Amino acid sequence: MAPPRPDLTQLPFAAAAEAARLASTLAAAGSPALVALDPGEAIDLPESAVRVWDPLPWLLESVDRGIERLADCAPPGGRLWVVLPLLPGLWRDAAELERLIAAAAVSAPEVLLPVAPELEPTDRRRLAETLGEDRFEAVFHREPPSERHVAAMLAARGLDWRPARPRLPGLSPRMARNRELAAALSEASELWLRLGRAEPEGLALAAAARHLDGSALDLASIAREGNLDVLEWLPPPARSLVAGLVESGRSTLLEELAAAWCAPSSTGAT
């Protein structure tokens, strides 16, 4: 069933044939699919689809063996993101994380995604039972590596941790540019708020992203003409971001926020 408005659609784990069918249906409707797969799973998907490998089940069985299996996976021949699961008690030290990152990088993914899920007490109990009694204390009383810490590790190796918003097929150049600018505004909002900066400014960036997503204006042309200040819905930080991306393809604000997220102070013990 096609989404009400074509955009990125996340598909949960499913049998290969069903995942391929759903991704093809979505692609025909103009919506790229984000398809969750076991690492290395061979499946034919539309060109617009993004494969997401999650090695967590392998790592829960054995961290060492899971890392080895991930390193042995062949590149899938399409767009790929790889999840780096950050669970309490799963990682003994930073060296294991280093090995996971190296193994994941073998398949040349677009991005490696550090994910630290929030766990309820029942989730921690199940995790402790899975990992074994010797990990009980770490599961319940130690924090996992932070997403910021692992993003800093990735950045130090020249690896990307920020997924790009997949393009929609069939968009006009104007709408495609607006979509990319809206994604940059949304990313700036997310980083701004997660860094604990002033909430009104962060929410204003998010509101500008939503407004632009539904706008028919040619924002890039308006920026090139120097008229961004006439757009009341575009706050000053957003104007600066848009102007920089249109003029040079770079945003000082986004670069500064990303650097702050990966700052040494974000590094935490495993």
Side-chain angles (χ1 to χ4, degrees), residues 7-266:
D7 211 320
L8 180 64
T9 303
Q10 182 174 349
L11 298 180
F13 280 101
E18 180 66 5
R21 184 189 69 79
L22 290 171
S24 296
T25 299
L26 290 164
S31 175
L34 202 63
V35 186
L37 299 169
D38 290 324
E41 185 172 1
I43 178 174
D44 290 327
L45 293 174
E47 185 178 351
S48 62
V50 181
R51 294 158 176 79
V52 182
W53 287 357
D54 184 355
L56 179 59
W58 292 357
L59 297 169
L60 289 175
E61 291 179 8
S62 166
V63 167
D64 289 337
R65 181 59 184 142
I67 291 173
E68 291 173 1
R69 292 175 69 185
L70 184 60
D72 289 339
C73 290
R79 301 189 62 188
L80 173 65
W81 300 352
V82 179
V83 174
L84 304 179
L86 308 178
L87 296 176
L90 180 62
W91 303 104
R92 294 184 186 274
D93 53 38
E96 285 188 338
L97 270 175
E98 297 273 8
R99 290 171 52 220
L100 176 70
I101 290 170
V106 168
S107 297
E110 291 181 8
V111 288
L112 302 178
L113 303 172
V115 177
E118 293 186 9
L119 301 181
E120 300 294 334
T122 53
D123 298 322
R124 290 182 184 263
R125 282 197 295 273
R126 293 191 189 100
L127 180 59
E129 291 169 0
T130 300
L131 294 178
E133 187 175 342
D134 63 322
R135 300 289 184 95
F136 182 91
E137 185 72 17
V139 169
F140 278 93
H141 301 293
R142 286 183 59 189
E143 291 299 318
S146 71
E147 292 178 0
R148 293 184 67 182
H149 168 54
V150 179
M153 294 172 68
L154 295 172
R157 289 155 185 76
L159 300 170
D160 208 342
W161 48 274
R162 297 182 295 166
R165 189 181 190 184
R167 296 182 177 182
L168 294 180
L171 286 185
S172 68
R174 170 177 52 82
M175 295 302 292
R177 288 193 298 269
N178 279 358
R179 178 178 168 81
E180 291 177 1
L181 291 171
L185 289 167
S186 182
E187 181 181 344
S189 169
E190 177 76 8
L191 287 171
W192 184 289
L193 293 171
R194 295 189 74 181
L195 284 165
R197 299 192 177 184
E199 191 170 287
E201 286 85 348
L203 294 177
L205 285 165
R210 290 192 298 270
H211 188 107
L212 180 55
D213 247 343
S215 174
L217 292 173
D218 189 340
L219 192 63
S221 293
I222 294 172
R224 283 191 290 268
E225 294 164 0
N227 291 325
L228 290 177
D229 57 347
V230 305
L231 302 177
E232 295 182 357
W233 54 270
L234 202 64
R239 293 174 197 165
S240 173
L241 182 151
V242 169
L245 289 175
V246 170
E247 292 171 8
S248 65
R250 298 177 58 184
S251 163
T252 301
L253 175 61
L254 263 181
E255 291 175 1
E256 186 268 325
L257 290 171
W261 185 255
C262 296
S265 60
S266 70

